[in-house]
Amino acid sequence: MNDLTGKVALVTGAASGIGRAIATAYAKAGARVAVADIDHQRADEAAAEIHGHAIGIAMDVTDEAQVESGFARTERELGAVDILVSNAGVQIISPLVELSFADWKRMLAIHMDGAFLTSRAAMRQMIASGRGGSIILMGSAHSHVASKFKAPYVAAKHGLLGLARVIAKEGAASGIRSNVICPGFVRTPLVEKQIPEQARELGMSEDEVIRNVMLRDTVDGEFTTLEDIADAALFLAGFGSNALTGQSLVVTHGWHMQ
Ligand code: NAD
């Protein structure tokens, strides 16, 4: 099931962190991979470092024209997309009453508009190819729970569950499955940046943020790893039927048991 030979995957936000780990795992499993990121230089570097067939794609997921041209280039150079991982994301830590409308809109644009635009482009290629495929949206434990100071992130990550369910229903007839991966805290640049920010907002030490906020509700006080999420993404990419669609897979060391 983990053999992706002959498949084409496009992963957004793949120049760093979770996206990069997934792109690397997909290439290792035999897929041809488009490493898409707003930071095109780092996307090219990441693609060059992946052992296997990978290309870097410049793509701001909030920009319709860039999404469309990135998918068109992927189809020209690698073939029609079989697997999409809509993963690009950022975090802003702020009390809701201090959050600017501009920051709210930017967060929803990256997480929600990005998921919509890339899913639509992927679905069109999957329907036209007649092969269907797997659409994976990168949610979070925050697709199911809320935390202080993360209003737009929590709202957007909850919203992805709804989007995946609609894609599952509309895509089923064409063999398109859609699921959400919900990671716990993984030590990527996105998380390293928010440890001191949360410490400031909560009046705690950074150690206390890790132990008493980030990992408090896990079963073992452990961070989730890049490999854990890459394994989950490999499983969902390779799963071969509509039996597993419209679901969310919570990969969090037991934080939020469904
Ligand atoms: P990261 O900062 O390491 O990587 C994010 C990547 O997204 C970067 O390469 C960045 O350039 C890219 N990006 C940002 N805005 C973009 C845009 N508009 N268009 C295209 N690319 C853009 O972060 P990460 O921790 O690997 O996060 C990846 C995803 O995983 C995010 O959706 C995040 O919400 C989710 N997630 C992360 C964690 C965690 O603990 N790290 C937990 C749950 C969910």
Side-chain angles (χ1 to χ4, degrees), residues 22-68:
I22 293 171
T24 304
Y26 282 176
K28 202 170 159 200
R32 300 191 293 281
V33 182
V35 175
D37 205 285
I38 193 170
D39 185 336
H40 60 90
Q41 199 177 328
R42 281 175 48 240
D44 285 343
E45 285 164 14
E49 281 170 21
I50 286 175
H51 296 292
H53 195 154
I55 57 170
I57 297 269
M59 184 190 289
D60 175 350
V61 296
T62 69
D63 182 317
E64 184 176 13
Q66 285 189 33
V67 171
E68 290 298 317

Side-chain angles (χ1 to χ4, degrees), residues 14-219:
S16 173
I18 290 172
R20 185 171 178 153
I22 293 171
T24 304
Y26 282 176
K28 202 170 159 200
R32 300 191 293 281
V33 182
V35 175
D37 205 285
I38 193 170
D39 185 336
H40 60 90
Q41 199 177 328
R42 281 175 48 240
D44 285 343
E45 285 164 14
E49 281 170 21
I50 286 175
H51 296 292
H53 195 154
I55 57 170
I57 297 269
M59 184 190 289
D60 175 350
V61 296
T62 69
D63 182 317
E64 184 176 13
Q66 285 189 33
V67 171
E68 290 298 317
S69 68
F71 270 83
R73 190 182 145 208
T74 302
E75 185 167 28
R76 269 195 320 273
E77 296 187 20
L78 302 182
V81 165
D82 300 290
I83 302 155
L84 163 69
V85 184
S86 170
N87 164 80
V90 297
Q91 179 60 282
I92 296 177
I93 303 294
S94 169
L96 189 145
V97 292
E98 289 168 21
L99 185 72
S100 70
F101 190 29
D103 278 346
W104 168 269
K105 285 196 275 201
R106 179 170 153 256
M107 286 292 283
L108 291 197
I110 295 171
H111 292 273
M112 292 299 298
D113 297 2
F116 160 67
L117 289 171
T118 55
S119 296
R120 186 182 66 178
M123 286 179 82
R124 286 174 175 167
Q125 289 194 6
M126 289 169 181
I127 291 167
S129 74
R131 295 197 302 267
S134 177
I135 293 181
I136 298 168
L137 308 182
M138 195 52 65
S140 163
H142 286 107
S143 298
H144 295 281
V145 301
S147 293
K148 288 178 177 176
F149 313 135
K150 295 186 175 179
Y153 187 84
V154 170
K157 292 300 191 188
H158 273 66
L160 293 178
L161 298 177
L163 179 62
R165 290 168 185 153
V166 174
I167 296 170
K169 291 203 170 200
E170 292 189 11
S174 312
I176 298 171
R177 305 175 301 285
S178 179
N179 293 287
V180 182
I181 297 178
C182 299
F185 282 99
V186 183
R187 292 198 87 152
T188 65
L190 179 140
V191 162
E192 296 298 345
K193 179 172 169 286
Q194 67 177 279
I195 294 171
E197 290 174 353
Q198 290 224 45
R200 240 186 342 269
E201 291 292 347
L202 294 164
M204 291 177 178
S205 72
E206 295 190 12
D207 258 10
E208 285 170 328
V209 168
I210 292 172
R211 269 185 291 110
N212 302 340
V213 179
M214 293 183 161
L215 304 180
R216 188 192 60 201
D217 295 325
T218 62
V219 294

